[in-house]
Amino acid sequence: KQEVTQIPAALSVPEGENLVLNCSFTDSAIYNLQWFRQDPGKGLTSLLLIQSSQREQTSGRLNASLDKSSGRSTLYIAASQPGDSATYLCAVRRDSGNTPLVFGKGTRLSVIA
Amino acid sequence: GAVVSQHPSRVICKSGTSVKIECRSLDFQATTMFWYRQFPKQSLMLMATSNEGSKATYEQGVEKDKFLINHASLTLSTLTVTSAHPEDSSFYICSAREAGNSNEKLFFGSGTQLSVL
């Protein structure tokens, strides 16, 4: 059974810092990996999706990498801003078709002005 | 991008009542809908998977008679929490798979915060 672990569980940084969020998964046979942002009491915002054949994806100040063989992904946030404060979720999908995403517990990020 | 509309966003109900949550795919056909539940500071946990026109498949530990899922059309799936109790208070969110979507991205509703008094 796939298990997704995110470290750290919580992180507090001053504004402007670069930071890295970590995600690991136990079964490396994945179809894709996705990073989401969740604000308190809200739904999910998809940030980046990496297919299993890809090594990284970039969007603005965000960069996500994938090392499928070692079961790891990182989300790099450059020049953090208070508006980045949220919970970041990592999720993997085993296959296409009728297979769901399996989520980690998330990293709660606070960026202090 | 594809939009999944989920309603209501928040509901407060008395213990023993039933609550229906709707998820509609607005501009695409959703062949598969996944229903998740999230308790405070916990991850999203899959409850069930439903395919249009078929009975839902429930995850272990999820009571099918308590959480009724209907996926009667390619644009609408509903989750009904029957005889809700305080322990059912949680954040419920749906995720839709688009028919024929080659890149196989899943689209999420905005979630429903259920509070049972």
Side-chain angles (χ1 to χ4, degrees), chain B residues 40-107:
Chain B
K41 296 186 179 181
Q42 297 297 313
S43 182
L44 278 76
M45 298 300 294
L46 182 69
M47 298 176 65
T49 301
S50 71
N51 293 297
E52 183 266 337
S54 303
K55 288 185 178 180
T57 302
Y58 290 80
E59 295 299 300
Q60 190 173 10
V62 179
E63 300 175 57
K64 62 178 67 176
D65 294 330
K66 181 170 182 63
F67 299 99
L68 302 179
I69 291 174
N70 184 286
H71 193 166
S73 78
L74 285 171
T75 59
L76 174 64
S77 179
T78 62
L79 167 66
T80 301
V81 183
T82 62
S83 186
H85 291 283
E87 58 265 31
D88 299 323
S89 298
S90 185
F91 185 73
Y92 295 85
I93 191 166
C94 62
S95 174
R97 171 182 171 242
E98 182 179 4
N101 183 346
S102 61
N103 68 8
E104 284 289 343
K105 188 175 181 179
L106 302 180
F107 303 97

